[in-house]
Amino acid sequence: MMEPRDRERLNLNYELLISRVNVDHVMLYLNRIIFNEIECDRIHAAKTSQERMKKLLDLLTTKGPHAYQHFRHALLDRYADIVKTLDGTYTQLHRSISTPNEKNAELSAIRTSLIRNLKTSRVLEYLVVEDVFDEKDCHSVRAGLTNEDKARILVDIIASRDSECYQKFKMAVILCEPKLASLFDNK
């Protein structure tokens, strides 16, 4: 599986990559190094260039720890500016939150958006792997009747935990729900 920090870089630059990179330029390098023939066919089956890039990124994040470096290398010739952006991506996950008040203030500011938009299943899996949630916590979240109920329960549990758990929650949201990553910008 791809390293979390590399997956994070891709997720934080997802829109940039989709809008600017031509899949054909990077597939010449990634074909048979990262992707097998069936995966290449899946990528090329998408109708638009943007859809092909989305498919490539989705598959790339499931690959081994060297996949990002191969992708980065494939971008170097034609997309040096994008490589520079990827290399310089500020990872908001590593900005430390030193007090419970800072954590609670940040969580309060984004609570409504999280509850309305968060799909909990993949985030829950990540939190279990990271030892933030146990089976009892998962059961509590899954007991919600609607997706919003589940998200509300999950956010409430995170609010009751320490800053380290909150940092892992942020990582889970950014990696599992990249469209919500912007919620943590400037927070």
Side-chain angles (χ1 to χ4, degrees), residues 36-59:
N36 63 37
E37 191 174 330
I38 294 170
E39 292 166 327
C40 290
D41 289 344
R42 272 199 240 152
I43 291 167
H44 287 295
K47 292 181 181 179
T48 68
S49 178
Q50 287 83 11
E51 288 172 0
R52 286 190 292 276
M53 193 63 197
K54 286 179 184 180
K55 180 61 74 177
L56 182 146
L57 292 171
D58 290 345
L59 287 170

Side-chain angles (χ1 to χ4, degrees), residues 79-105:
Y79 304 101
D81 60 321
I82 292 177
V83 171
K84 188 175 180 178
T85 300
L86 289 169
D87 291 348
T89 297
Y90 172 72
T91 57
Q92 68 256 54
L93 299 171
H94 299 104
R95 181 182 64 81
S96 64
I97 294 179
S98 56
T99 69
N101 288 342
E102 289 175 327
K103 174 199 70 154
N104 290 336

Side-chain angles (χ1 to χ4, degrees), residues 7 18 21-22 34 49 61 63 71 74 91 93 97 102 113 116 127 134 139 150-151 158 161-162 174 179 187:
R7 196 171 330 127
I18 289 169
V21 175
N22 181 327
I34 297 298
S49 178
T61 58
K63 297 299 180 176
F71 177 69
T91 57
L93 299 171
I97 294 179
E102 289 175 327
S113 293
R116 287 184 183 153
L127 294 173
D134 59 20
H139 181 71
K150 293 173 185 179
I158 291 297
R161 303 285 168 86
D162 63 17
I174 289 170
K179 291 178 182 170
K187 302 277 187 268

Side-chain angles (χ1 to χ4, degrees), residues 146-160:
T146 65
N147 197 48
E148 284 188 8
D149 289 339
K150 293 173 185 179
R152 185 177 298 107
I153 294 164
L154 189 149
V155 169
D156 289 343
I157 293 171
I158 291 297
S160 70

